[in-house]
Amino acid sequence: MTADAAITAADVRSAALSLPDTTEKLAWGQPTFRVAGKIFASLGDDERAMGVKCPREDRAELIAAEPEKFFIREGHDDHYAWMRVRLSALEDEAELAAILADSWRQVAPRRLAAAHPELDVAEEESAGEDEG
C-alpha cells in the first residue's frame, strides 16, 4: 500500500460503524466502537494504531508472524484478550474490515452474529478450502 493510500482513523471509524448495531463512544479520551455495549475496537491516542479483541492464545502467534503490524502495549494489554494494530502496516481496507469484523464477532451477542454470516471470515475461509 502506498503512503497516499494508508489506512486512516477515518477509515477505521467508517469500517467499524458499518458493522451491525455498532456505536461509537468516547472512553479514556479516545473513540471506542461497541456492539451491545461491549468494546470491540478503539483508536489509539495518536490515531496511528487501533486496539481490537484477540484471544490471548492467538495473540503471540500473530505478533510473531507480523510484528510490524501487530503488538501489545506492555503493562496495559498483557492480561486482556486485546492487541494493537498499526494502521500504516495494513495492506488495504479489506484487511481492515476483516480484522474489525473478527473483533466484532468476538463480542457481538450470538443471535446478532448468527444473523450476519457474511461477517464470519473463518467460515468463508473453510468453505473456500472445501471447494478446492
Side-chain angles (χ1 to χ4, degrees), residues 8-9 13 21 26 35 39-40 47 63 66 90 96 113 116 127:
T8 66
R13 178 173 280 109
D21 293 353
L26 278 179
V35 60
I39 299 172
F40 70 90
E47 296 189 342
I63 293 169
E66 297 184 85
L90 293 173
L96 169 66
H116 296 279

Side-chain angles (χ1 to χ4, degrees), residues 2 11 19-20 30 35 37 45 48 59 61 80 89 93 108 112 122:
T2 65
D11 296 326
L19 294 166
Q30 57 196 57
V35 60
D45 297 338
R48 294 188 310 178
R59 194 170 64 179
E61 185 178 328
Y80 300 99
E93 290 184 19
L112 179 60

Side-chain angles (χ1 to χ4, degrees), residues 10-100:
D11 296 326
V12 172
R13 178 173 280 109
S14 177
L17 291 174
S18 74
L19 294 166
D21 293 353
T22 294
T23 59
E24 180 177 346
K25 181 178 180 183
L26 278 179
W28 311 287
Q30 57 196 57
T32 63
F33 303 95
R34 302 163 185 247
V35 60
K38 296 179 182 176
I39 299 172
F40 70 90
S42 67
L43 279 167
D45 297 338
D46 61 6
E47 296 189 342
R48 294 188 310 178
M50 67 176 175
V52 293
K53 292 289 286 183
C54 180
R56 288 175 62 198
E57 59 273 10
D58 297 342
R59 194 170 64 179
E61 185 178 328
L62 288 166
I63 293 169
E66 297 184 85
E68 73 288 348
K69 186 179 296 182
F70 302 114
F71 67 104
I72 63 170
R73 202 166 98 198
E74 298 291 333
H76 191 269
D77 301 327
D78 304 340
H79 306 291
Y80 300 99
W82 199 256
M83 74 174 177
R84 310 294 166 137
V85 182
R86 290 179 184 89
L87 301 183
S88 63
L90 293 173
E91 292 177 27
D92 54 27
E93 290 184 19
E95 184 179 28
L96 169 66
I99 290 169
L100 287 170

